[in-house]
Amino acid sequence: MNNEILLANLRNIPDFPHKGIQFKDVSTLFKNPECLAILVDELYEMYKDKGITKVVGIESRGFIVGAALAYKLGAGFVMCRKPGKLPADTRKASYMKEYGADTIEIHADAISPEDIVLLHDDLLATGGSMSAALRLVESFSPKKTMINFIIELTIEGLNGRALFKDDTEITTLLKI
Ligand code: AMP
């Protein structure tokens, strides 16, 4: 039922930002009070007993639900950002995109070995950006890491999960 409400409110933009891409526009979920509540409440129910101390959101659509969830879990929120945006010392990781490489950064004091970390983003496509974020987070040797996406794209040719080790705990709310 909840998934039907989310799917009915998710906007698809054909050929954005390039021809052939079906862009899943989560802004239509975020602007709808019922959908925003479903997203945060469902994730809270999934993760409330996991002892999570930090939620790491990936810029920028991972910040919205990530921060709301962190608040509800009583956890801290950490931003994984595009290069040059974070003001203090950072750690960096690079990954391959459709056209060339990209880099993401996290503050060098963002995570401690005592943390139990949930990484969150809106959508799993190739998995490149999240696997780079996971490498960054794991460089702090936290007690445990888990990963969540709102949407997992399973259309032909995309198998983002294949980039992660088999024992990586990944959840997704919607498979499209
Ligand atoms: P990837 O690193 O290939 O898994 O791409 C995931 C990131 O790119 C996420 O932050 C998404 O917001 C964005 N993204 C990739 N493909 C799409 C798509 N078809 N619709 C919406 N966002 C996408």
Side-chain angles (χ1 to χ4, degrees):
M1 179 61 183
N2 279 347
N3 280 5
E4 285 163 24
I5 295 170
L6 295 177
L7 284 170
N9 282 281
L10 178 66
R11 178 160 59 191
N12 187 73
I13 314 270
D15 299 322
F16 181 89
H18 307 292
K19 192 150 184 52
I21 303 283
Q22 298 291 330
F23 192 85
K24 306 300 171 196
D25 178 14
V26 289
S27 75
T28 50
L29 302 182
F30 297 163
K31 78 169 181 181
N32 178 307
E34 184 184 16
C35 291
L36 185 60
I38 289 171
L39 292 172
V40 178
D41 292 348
E42 283 212 357
L43 291 179
Y44 175 72
E45 288 303 318
M46 287 162 70
Y47 288 104
K48 67 184 178 189
D49 299 322
K50 305 278 190 188
I52 289 162
T53 56
K54 297 262 170 66
V55 176
V56 173
I58 317 293
E59 183 167 3
S60 60
R61 289 178 292 272
F63 292 172
I64 316 303
V65 168
L69 178 63
Y71 173 75
K72 217 167 159 172
L73 289 171
F77 181 73
V78 170
M79 294 177 280
C80 232
R81 296 209 65 181
K82 291 172 181 142
K85 302 279 188 188
L86 290 170
D89 286 346
T90 63
R91 294 186 184 184
K92 302 176 181 37
S94 294
Y95 60 99
M96 288 312 290
K97 288 193 22 169
E98 197 181 356
Y99 305 105
D102 211 342
T103 302
I104 52 169
E105 295 187 41
I106 195 167
H107 270 144
D109 59 358
I111 312 276
S112 85
E114 298 308 306
D115 279 321
I116 296 175
V117 180
L118 174 65
L119 295 99
H120 167 82
D121 201 1
D122 66 325
L123 184 139
L124 170 63
T126 67
S129 49
M130 183 58 86
S131 67
L134 182 64
R135 262 186 283 137
L136 280 180
V137 168
E138 287 187 334
S139 75
F140 295 90
S141 302
K143 276 188 185 158
K144 188 170 166 110
T145 55
M146 290 157 262
I147 298 176
N148 166 263
F149 301 91
I150 297 171
I151 299 163
E152 177 174 2
L153 283 188
T154 55
I155 51 169
E156 217 178 315
L158 273 180
N159 182 12
R161 285 192 188 232
L163 267 195
F164 300 90
K165 284 185 278 179
D166 286 346
D167 60 354
T168 311
E169 283 185 34
I170 304 177
T171 64
T172 59
L173 294 180
L174 302 172
K175 287 188 176 56
I176 297 178

